[in-house]
Amino acid sequence: MAASTRALFLSCFHGAGGGGSEVSRRLVLRPRYPSMPRRPRSAAVAGEGGEGGGRDGDLEAAAAAAAVGEEEEKVAVFAVSGMTCAACAGSVEKAVKRLPGIHDAAVDVLGGRAQVVFYPAFVSEEKIRETIQDVGFEAKLIDEEVKEKNILVCRLHIKGMTCTSCASTVESLLQVVPGVQRASVALATEEAEICYDRRIVTASQLTHAVEETGFEAILITTGDDQSRIDLKVDGTLNERSIMIMKSSVQALPGVEDIKVDTELHKITISYKPDQTGPRDLIEVIESAASGDLTVSIYPEADGRQQHRHGEIKRYRQSFLWSLVFTIPVFLTSMVFMYIPGLKDGLEKKVINMMSIGELLRWILSTPVQFVIGRKFYTGAYKALCHGSSNMDVLIALGTNTAYFYSVYSILRAASSHNYMATDFFETSSMLISFILLGKYLEILAKGKTSEAIAKLMDLAPETATMLIYDHEGNVVGEKEIDSRLIQKNDVIKVVPGGKVASDGFVIWGQSHVNESMITGESRPVAKRKGDTVIGGTVNENGVLHVRATFVGSESALAQIVRLVESAQMAKAPVQKFADQISRVFVPLVIVLSLLTWLAWFLAGRLHGYPNSWIPSSMDSFQLALQFGISVMVIACPCALGLATPTAVMVATGVGASQGVLIKGGQALESAQKVDCIVFDKTGTLTIGKPVVVNTRLFKNMVLREFYDYVAAAEVNSEHPLAKAIVEYAKKFHSEENYVWPEARDFISVAGHGVKAKVSGRAVMVGNKSFMLTSGIDIPMEALEILTEEEEKAQTAIIVVMDQEVVGIISVSDPIKPNAREVISYLKSMKVESIMVTGDNWGTANAISKEVGIENTVAEAKPENKAEKVKELQSAGKTVAMVGDGINDSPALVSADLGLAIGAGTDVAIEAADIVLMKSNLEDVITAIDLSRKTFFRIRMNYVWALGYNIIGIPIAAGVLFPSTRFRLPPWVAGAAMAASSVSVVCWSLLLRYYKSPKLGH
């Protein structure tokens, strides 16, 4: 996935990024490391001189001072997304400093900023930005980032689309709207996702643009950072009360917009959730009305579900009403004609040669054609108005041809004494009835494709117990509230067996929480004070008091739902095939049906048909007409259009329910092609929580003093090995929050180690190659210990003080359960496994041997991992990268498919195409196997949809008629057309029963 997507997800999870839009280009950076330079050396000289001046400003202030003396010097501030640890920041800083003309650079990993002092005569801002991107991170000038916040993504629900042609029409028209950068319309979800510049076009204008195409559009979200809530007002609404209510609500901080619908007694308010909340809004409205109004959450279901249920109801009613008229038409034309008494009555002439049966069929079929079937007319009209054609065009042409020819035939019979009429009223009415039945079944089936999202949304509890505190912080009461009214910093009580109502952290109590419904992890997770919890999870035992942090659209559950919805909108590349066919399908079928009619008609006129060929009630014109209508109505573009999106929708939903978040059809298509997987070691093949198992000292030192030096240097690093050492060092101190000695001039070399000055001593902590490149002489005794530890699959970390090796720390990171079985199973799937790690060769070889990986690359920096991926790709392999998303970002982005190991709450910041929420290696197999089974379904859908048309159209055209006398009545062709779409959707729905492979089977 592109790095820009990572930036988008980061902004989603962390809100507005702390006011990122207000950051000026001259940003003052907060140093991330104790050794981060507070000013360039030249600035220090030009300034106050010496260390003391450092407290007067940071790097930017110094750069500004330097710029006074040297005009050519310039400061640039970049927004850098994707950095997650000190190693990332070190990589960026090192890469930038290597450029010519760089005076100094400082990187703030927490703020996601890089500030560079440079000479424009030697290097440009664009070159600096490209260098940062080459390291594997997305970089933009702050000015550009502010502009980027004007680019929003809105979602619309579109009513009335019937086939791929409709979706293509809407998509094409949206893409030419000024300000629209990208538009995607999905037929299966009946939604549009539009990336637009809000300075040029608004969401309401986009809605209007869709409605101008003839379809109804409903705004789901505008894409900005606002939350929106609908409130129901019980009481009398007049101009005065509305004015008071509006002014009171608008006075609240964070309120952006308020709309009042007096007919529905509905108030829609847009607000910023970090400044106010729904409970505050309700209290203000009720107090402003002096008790005359009662306000509550508007009782309405999800808009899309409401539309789905309404559409199902409409099609069911239309179908039932059509049966009321169609069944008598069918009986009078095909059943009663064979019952002697009834036949005589129906053949009784009314006017000249027009019979009672013909008149009855005309009367009964007319409401079906023009009232019940009016939606086909409106759909065809809208399509033709915009120069396109769809299924409605075919149905309208086919049924109208049958209907109006029948009208002509019986009117001619009524005006003639010898003309015998032949009508096709049963064709038009039965066609419409069967198509309505097919659409009804199709919508029912399509509704089940998004069942997984509905289940996710239902996880949130309806009510929550909020604790009430006095001024001294004591709990004085409880109040049950609607869970949608929870605001940030509310404290929620969660009882055993109850659901956690919102994301937050525990401030009191301890328990075990079942997070399987969110992360897929089956074992309950222990929670105590300070631990985070996810909304929608179930508290197993014990009472918890949880302070709400992320509510509403900011919650992890909402983020996961939004990610799955976005994935279902994303088109797989294979769908382009169907889109290309659909563009020419309907016009081609119309031409083909006309040619069919003309061929049969001319054949009958010029050469004549044997008497046995033509039914007694037909002439050659009528027979040719029937073939033409059958061709027109049997052709179905809908099945082609539904073949891919329905399968992708079901697959992404099923994946989410099993803890595998797939970010769209592109990821699915890439996954099924994977034949090589590159694994990171730490946190991927291993548990990722290393522990110190042994310490060897070469100098007479107190062990506590030794670890004080090491921990002081390592505390600035985010690497798992560094964290393990710091945790071990804490055991030598009884204080809970012991302060380590200050580390100065801290430098982190990604994948190798760190160095810093601690209490006057130069401390280096890292691997063997780090020491050798730094010119450190490693004694033979230490080398023997290194070899010994590496053979045990343990990582040996060398500690150097003042250029002398003083000790070796052995750290072990246990291999994940089933790692060997996973590698073995992948081999059976014909997928090659490779391990790439920054660890030493000895440990890497020991680990790879234990898990069964034959190809290993060790002592690799983050950029080396990306290079290895590209090397494999150049060899013709489709490469997947599996990493923990920390130091593996460059490789995750470079790979054809990035799979990130990460917890559910970290979904939005992963630089991957697929997120394995349970952090289990087995899910790598699940992701690949699910994608393969999904694309098998998609291929079978295309085989069915294309095969149906390839076989059905010639049969409808009458190729079998000369030899077998078999002809396909138009109403049967219409039923077959309806069945094709239903069958494609049902075939995709079988993915709902997908079970992930079991290891050892």
Side-chain angles (χ1 to χ4, degrees):
M1 175 168 285
S4 58
T5 308
R6 299 201 305 271
L8 173 63
F9 284 146
L10 278 165
S11 64
C12 287
F13 251 117
H14 299 296
S21 61
E22 298 172 4
V23 178
S24 68
R25 181 163 175 152
R26 308 288 289 180
L27 178 70
V28 177
L29 287 181
R30 179 179 61 191
R32 171 65 182 95
Y33 317 113
S35 61
M36 179 178 282
R38 301 183 69 82
R39 62 173 59 198
R41 292 186 183 87
S42 61
V45 173
E48 297 166 357
E51 295 286 337
R55 55 187 166 82
D56 296 330
D58 60 4
L59 176 61
E60 182 202 328
V68 174
E70 302 177 23
E71 290 184 356
E72 68 272 17
E73 195 173 278
K74 190 176 180 182
V75 178
V77 182
F78 298 88
V80 184
S81 59
M83 297 189 300
T84 54
C85 65
C88 300
S91 299
V92 173
E93 190 172 317
K94 188 174 181 180
V96 172
K97 285 182 176 179
R98 283 176 176 169
L99 290 172
I102 299 295
H103 184 86
D104 213 333
V107 180
D108 177 12
V109 71
L110 293 180
R113 299 288 187 270
Q115 189 166 256
V116 184
V117 183
F118 67 101
Y119 297 98
F122 295 94
V123 66
S124 65
E125 293 169 336
E126 179 62 21
K127 180 63 177 175
I128 298 170
R129 187 186 68 80
E130 288 176 355
T131 301
I132 297 174
Q133 288 187 327
D134 288 341
V135 181
F137 305 99
E138 181 71 12
K140 293 181 181 177
L141 280 170
I142 290 295
D143 289 345
E144 292 182 14
E145 189 196 47
V146 173
K147 292 176 185 176
E148 188 70 20
K149 293 186 182 296
N150 289 310
I151 306 301
L152 304 177
V153 179
C154 78
R155 297 170 74 91
L156 304 177
H157 184 82
I158 302 175
K159 296 182 181 180
M161 295 191 298
T162 56
C163 65
T164 313
S165 181
C166 300
S168 299
T169 300
V170 176
E171 190 173 294
S172 300
L173 287 168
L174 280 172
Q175 285 173 342
V176 298
V177 174
V180 172
Q181 297 187 350
R182 174 181 53 81
S184 176
V185 179
L187 175 64
T189 57
E190 296 180 326
E191 287 184 12
E193 188 175 78
I194 309 158
C195 180
Y196 69 103
D197 189 335
R198 64 177 172 185
R199 295 169 299 180
I200 301 173
V201 65
T202 65
S204 58
Q205 288 172 328
L206 293 172
T207 304
H208 181 67
V210 172
E211 289 175 342
E212 282 187 340
T213 65
F215 300 98
E216 184 180 349
I218 301 170
L219 181 64
I220 298 173
T221 174
T222 59
D224 55 18
D225 294 332
Q226 300 173 0
S227 290
R228 192 176 68 175
I229 190 169
D230 293 328
L231 301 175
K232 183 182 180 182
V233 180
D234 292 322
T236 304
L237 286 176
N238 51 45
E239 289 186 11
R240 183 175 177 276
S241 63
I242 291 173
M243 184 187 69
I244 294 172
M245 182 171 56
K246 278 188 172 183
S247 58
S248 301
V249 170
Q250 287 172 339
L252 282 175
V255 173
E256 297 289 328
D257 187 36
I258 177 171
K259 295 177 182 177
V260 181
D261 189 326
T262 54
E263 290 184 7
L264 297 176
H265 278 242
K266 179 180 177 181
I267 305 173
T268 302
I269 303 173
S270 298
Y271 63 95
K272 293 183 177 178
D274 56 336
Q275 297 184 34
T276 189
R279 208 167 58 252
D280 292 339
L281 298 171
I282 290 174
E283 289 174 2
V284 166
I285 294 172
E286 288 183 340
S287 61
S290 303
D292 295 334
L293 300 176
T294 304
V295 185
S296 59
I297 299 284
Y298 201 83
E300 86 179 349
D302 176 65
R304 283 162 288 187
Q305 288 298 320
Q306 266 197 332
H307 167 68
R308 183 83 67 190
H309 293 318
E311 196 173 25
I312 289 171
K313 184 179 178 181
R314 285 194 300 275
Y315 271 108
R316 184 175 62 244
Q317 287 178 343
S318 296
F319 171 64
L320 292 176
W321 273 111
S322 72
L323 286 184
V324 171
F325 297 99
T326 300
I327 289 175
V329 172
F330 174 78
L331 292 174
T332 57
S333 63
M334 298 194 175
V335 178
F336 294 163
M337 299 305 292
Y338 299 97
I339 301 174
L342 293 174
K343 179 182 178 183
D344 295 338
L346 291 172
E347 288 184 347
K348 188 176 180 180
K349 307 305 178 185
V350 181
I351 305 173
N352 290 332
M353 297 298 290
M354 184 173 71
S355 65
I356 291 175
E358 293 164 352
L359 182 61
L360 279 173
R361 288 193 289 274
W362 185 12
I363 294 170
L364 290 169
S365 63
T366 300
V368 178
Q369 183 71 35
F370 299 108
V371 180
I372 297 169
R374 69 184 180 277
K375 72 173 297 298
F376 301 118
Y377 285 96
T378 56
Y381 173 75
K382 291 171 184 176
L384 293 172
C385 282
H386 293 93
S388 63
S389 50
N390 58 14
M391 187 191 76
D392 290 336
V393 174
L394 292 178
I395 295 169
L397 279 174
T399 56
N400 275 309
T401 302
Y403 178 84
F404 284 109
Y405 175 79
S406 301
V407 171
Y408 159 77
S409 182
I410 65 169
L411 287 177
R412 183 178 172 185
S415 61
S416 173
H417 295 289
N418 54 13
Y419 179 79
M420 291 291 294
T422 301
D423 68 89
F424 297 105
F425 287 123
E426 82 285 349
T427 295
S428 64
S429 57
M430 290 177 72
L431 256 177
I432 289 172
S433 296
F434 274 115
I435 290 166
L436 288 172
L437 173 63
K439 292 298 291 183
Y440 170 64
L441 295 175
E442 181 186 321
I443 293 166
L444 278 177
K446 279 163 63 178
K448 295 190 179 294
T449 60
S450 55
E451 228 174 40
I453 289 181
K455 287 179 180 177
L456 280 172
M457 296 176 74
D458 288 342
L459 290 176
E462 293 183 0
T463 60
T465 303
M466 185 180 71
L467 297 179
I468 302 170
Y469 289 81
D470 60 16
H471 295 295
E472 297 178 357
N474 300 314
V475 178
V476 295
E478 299 177 357
K479 182 181 180 182
E480 188 172 292
I481 61 170
D482 189 314
S483 62
R484 293 171 295 180
L485 296 178
I486 296 174
Q487 298 180 180
K488 284 187 179 180
N489 296 318
D490 284 346
V491 178
I492 306 300
K493 178 181 177 182
V494 188
V495 298
K499 286 186 177 181
V500 179
S502 77
D503 293 3
F505 60 91
V506 178
I507 63 171
W508 180 87
Q510 59 183 21
S511 180
H512 285 78
V513 175
N514 184 352
E515 298 182 344
S516 61
M517 60 289 299
I518 300 293
T519 66
E521 178 58 60
S522 57
R523 291 173 297 181
V525 182
K527 300 291 181 182
R528 60 180 62 188
K529 184 178 178 180
D531 290 339
T532 58
V533 292
I534 307 171
T537 54
V538 178
N539 183 21
E540 296 274 325
N541 49 38
V543 178
L544 296 176
H545 292 179
V546 176
R547 185 176 298 281
T549 53
F550 297 106
V551 297
S553 60
E554 294 181 336
S555 69
L557 181 60
Q559 295 287 337
I560 292 170
V561 169
R562 191 150 59 241
L563 190 147
V564 175
E565 286 178 336
S566 182
Q568 293 180 346
M569 285 292 302
K571 292 182 179 180
V574 73
Q575 195 172 337
K576 294 176 183 176
F577 169 69
D579 292 344
Q580 288 169 352
I581 293 177
S582 296
R583 288 190 186 99
V584 298
F585 188 86
V586 174
L588 190 64
V589 167
I590 293 171
V591 171
L592 189 60
S593 63
L594 289 173
L595 290 175
T596 300
W597 171 82
L598 189 61
W600 279 102
F601 177 69
L602 291 177
R605 288 289 184 181
L606 297 176
H607 304 290
Y609 297 133
N611 291 333
S612 59
W613 280 28
I614 305 178
S616 58
S617 59
M618 288 188 185
D619 59 21
S620 60
F621 177 85
Q622 293 162 348
L623 183 65
L625 182 65
Q626 190 180 74
F627 284 131
I629 295 172
S630 294
V631 169
M632 198 175 296
V633 297
I634 198 171
C636 181
C638 301
L640 275 172
L642 293 170
T644 299
T646 52
V648 170
M649 282 182 69
V650 178
T652 50
V654 167
S657 68
Q658 298 197 18
V660 178
L661 286 187
I662 303 166
K663 300 178 181 178
Q666 174 72 62
L668 268 174
E669 186 160 348
S670 298
Q672 58 102 22
K673 297 176 183 176
V674 166
D675 55 13
C676 179
I677 298 182
V678 176
F679 288 93
D680 176 43
K681 179 181 76 70
T682 306
T684 303
L685 290 172
T686 62
I687 290 175
K689 292 183 179 178
V691 291
V692 175
V693 293
N694 196 11
T695 309
R696 305 279 187 93
L697 296 181
F698 302 113
K699 299 293 178 184
N700 290 324
M701 288 184 73
V702 177
L703 199 58
R704 184 177 72 172
E705 181 187 359
F706 170 80
Y707 271 103
D708 279 353
Y709 279 104
V710 176
E714 290 281 42
V715 74
N716 295 300
S717 174
E718 296 290 335
H719 197 281
L721 296 179
K723 289 183 177 180
I725 293 172
V726 173
E727 283 300 313
Y728 186 77
K730 288 179 181 178
K731 296 178 181 179
F732 294 97
H733 298 277
S734 57
E735 301 93 325
E736 185 175 346
N737 295 312
Y738 180 76
V739 179
W740 306 107
E742 183 182 2
R744 294 178 177 273
D745 302 328
F746 174 83
I747 296 175
S748 172
V749 180
H752 284 70
V754 299
K755 55 184 174 181
K757 283 191 175 180
V758 180
S759 301
R761 302 189 70 173
V763 179
M764 295 176 64
V765 184
N767 58 23
K768 178 182 173 182
S769 63
F770 181 51
M771 300 305 166
L772 292 175
T773 54
S774 301
I776 303 299
D777 183 28
I778 303 175
M780 186 58 66
E781 182 184 359
L783 290 172
E784 290 174 356
I785 293 172
L786 288 176
T787 304
E788 180 184 328
E789 295 301 314
E790 288 169 3
E791 288 174 352
K792 298 177 185 176
Q794 295 176 356
T795 301
I797 299 171
I798 302 173
V799 179
V800 172
M801 294 185 189
D802 296 329
Q803 300 295 303
E804 190 176 5
V805 176
V806 297
I808 292 178
I809 302 172
S810 299
V811 179
S812 176
D813 187 5
I815 293 173
K816 283 185 176 179
N818 296 330
R820 187 174 185 85
E821 289 84 351
V822 168
I823 301 301
S824 176
Y825 197 96
L826 286 170
K827 193 177 293 184
S828 70
M829 296 173 72
K830 294 184 171 35
V831 177
E832 180 187 1
S833 297
I834 297 172
M835 185 178 78
V836 180
T837 177
D839 214 333
N840 60 74
W841 276 102
T843 303
N845 286 328
I847 294 288
S848 61
K849 184 178 179 181
E850 190 169 344
V851 299
I853 292 178
E854 298 174 359
N855 193 343
T856 303
V857 177
E859 299 180 3
K861 295 180 180 180
E863 56 268 28
N864 298 141
K865 295 180 183 180
E867 288 169 6
K868 181 63 180 177
V869 167
K870 291 173 182 175
E871 179 188 322
L872 291 166
Q873 288 170 330
S874 63
K877 294 184 179 293
T878 303
V879 183
M881 172 70 195
V882 185
D884 57 9
I886 298 175
N887 290 325
D888 306 313
S889 297
L892 286 169
V893 173
S894 299
D896 297 292
L897 180 76
L899 295 97
I901 299 283
T905 50
D906 294 329
V907 168
I909 60 171
E910 296 293 350
D913 305 302
I914 297 177
V915 180
L916 311 178
M917 294 169 63
K918 290 184 288 185
S919 299
N920 288 343
L921 276 179
E922 294 95 317
D923 290 338
V924 174
I925 296 172
T926 300
I928 294 174
D929 185 64
L930 176 59
S931 67
R932 289 182 178 182
K933 284 184 168 59
T934 300
F935 269 78
F936 170 74
R937 299 278 173 189
I938 290 172
R939 281 189 285 269
M940 291 305 296
N941 280 345
Y942 280 128
V943 167
W944 170 250
L946 286 172
Y948 162 84
N949 284 291
I950 291 169
I951 296 170
I953 290 175
I955 292 174
V959 295
L960 300 178
F961 187 70
S963 59
T964 64
R965 308 296 180 269
F966 176 80
R967 58 190 175 89
L968 199 65
W971 64 270
V972 175
M977 182 197 72
S980 66
S981 295
V982 176
S983 61
V984 164
V985 176
C986 290
W987 181 247
S988 295
L989 280 175
L990 290 176
L991 279 169
R992 290 194 304 159
Y993 305 105
Y994 170 82
K995 300 293 182 186
S996 57
K998 300 298 180 185
L999 298 182
H1001 288 73

